[in-house]
Amino acid sequence: MTQNIATSNDIFTRTELFIGGRWTSSASRGAIEIVNPYTEKVIGTVPEANTADTDAAIAAAVAAVHNNPWQKMSFVERGAVLGKVAEGLVARSDQVLTTYTQDFGGVRAFGTFIAAQAAQVFAEHTKFAEQLVAEEWRENGGERNLIRREPVGPVLAIVPWNAPLVLAAVKLAPALLAGCPVVVKAPTEDPTVTFILAEVLAEAGVPEGMVSILPGRRGSLGDIAGRPEFAHVAFTGSTASGRTIMHSAADNITDVTLELGGKSAAIFLEDLDPAQGAQLVVAGSLAQSGQVCTTYSRLLVPATRKDEWIGALVATFQALPIGDPDHPDTVIGPLVNAGHRATVEGFIDSARSEGATILTGGKRPDLPHGYFVEPTLITDVTPDMRIVREEVFGPVITVQTYTDLDEAVAIANQTEFGLAAGIFTTDTEAAMKLAPRLEAGNVAINNFGACLVQPFGGYKKSGLGREGGIENVEHLLAFKQVRMPMELPL
């Protein structure tokens, strides 16, 4: 059964869930209200999944392991379908942008790339498919060994609210290419884009049974990560939630991939002009109003140029257009909801109370509505302050000074996190010498974020395992050894 394609008028109001590749009524009859973070008004509703829906999705995934046409397809054949998913997402770019600006509050200038980024993930897996071999013979020690690569089994993909489409793609593409059925736990803050993704998957030819998408509040789906039917759990979110998921999965010895929080530092070298460097901060530190796991929330600048840097950064922060995320010139949009805004404001309050200096920002802008917090720059911080130790996930950035590169590295590494780090300089040789010294899974030079089609993840409490690349597909394949004496005929 295929649901009618949503138009821009009804895209935020859905009546059915995508369970086992079929559109069906939710067992809960509950609904999730979609609130526009800019207008603060309800713009639609989608069904809320519950434990009965979880049971149905898992049952479909288990059945698909042994009795689904997808299992009989080669890697290349599966890859061809994933290529059609990529094409479908590009065709739905306008709808994806609409959901990004209206139910997440992301700015249009950034949102125009969301569908293309997700599409690239699926498209790259068509290339990975050509490199994978289902089975091969190896000879050693007077015997033959058949090495088979088989899907590990059902995968649970838990997707965060700050990038639901792109990170769903990161989890779905490798699992589907490996042959694994997937249950996606979608966020309740901005779930509508996952309904678009479900439509695209069905239209591209992913068979029924292979994918379910369940939007549900914490607890409404039950302890889904603790379900023994799953062979792998892929989670992106906070370190605290990752710890809970890891505990649940451990009872069943379920494999996990955790991409968790960060408190990432960006080191600006002596040679860089502060006026130029301050502009580079905007993308790396304030994209999505800081609601990015790889956000450079700690800026490290040379002490010899402290005044230049602070002047340039303050001027840059104060000049950023704040307001309607659908306006093409807006750089700083609202936070995802009122609760998260309160959390971010709590971090600012703690910085003040602990003696830090608010250089600019630190309050709500003078706007009639919207969950906004001004781009905030903080200095005079110490390592023990909460603002330095914990992930804010908002437009709140600290600036510290260093006297030499050894001190810069020490400050950058003085955190329990290790997701990302940045180096900004005109001296590539110096940057390449510095990168191996940083305790982070993703180091960018004059850039930000991570490449999602290469292995990425975090050190320390920023995660476990890696997503991305052909390595992610191989991680979801079980290697089976079949051995026999050489004299037996094949």
Side-chain angles (χ1 to χ4, degrees), residues 97 101 106-113 320-333:
L97 176 58
T101 58
V107 299
R108 170 173 284 271
F110 192 78
T112 54
F113 300 103
L320 295 174
I322 306 172
D324 183 355
D326 205 34
H327 193 284
D329 294 334
T330 299
V331 176
I332 303 296

Side-chain angles (χ1 to χ4, degrees), residues 66 104 203 225 294 307 403 409 439:
H66 302 294
F104 171 61
E203 292 163 7
T294 56
D307 292 343
T403 56
V409 170
E439 296 170 354

Side-chain angles (χ1 to χ4, degrees), residues 271-287:
D271 64 296
L272 195 67
D273 175 40
Q276 176 190 3
Q279 295 300 317
L280 296 174
V281 165
V282 175
S285 296
L286 297 174

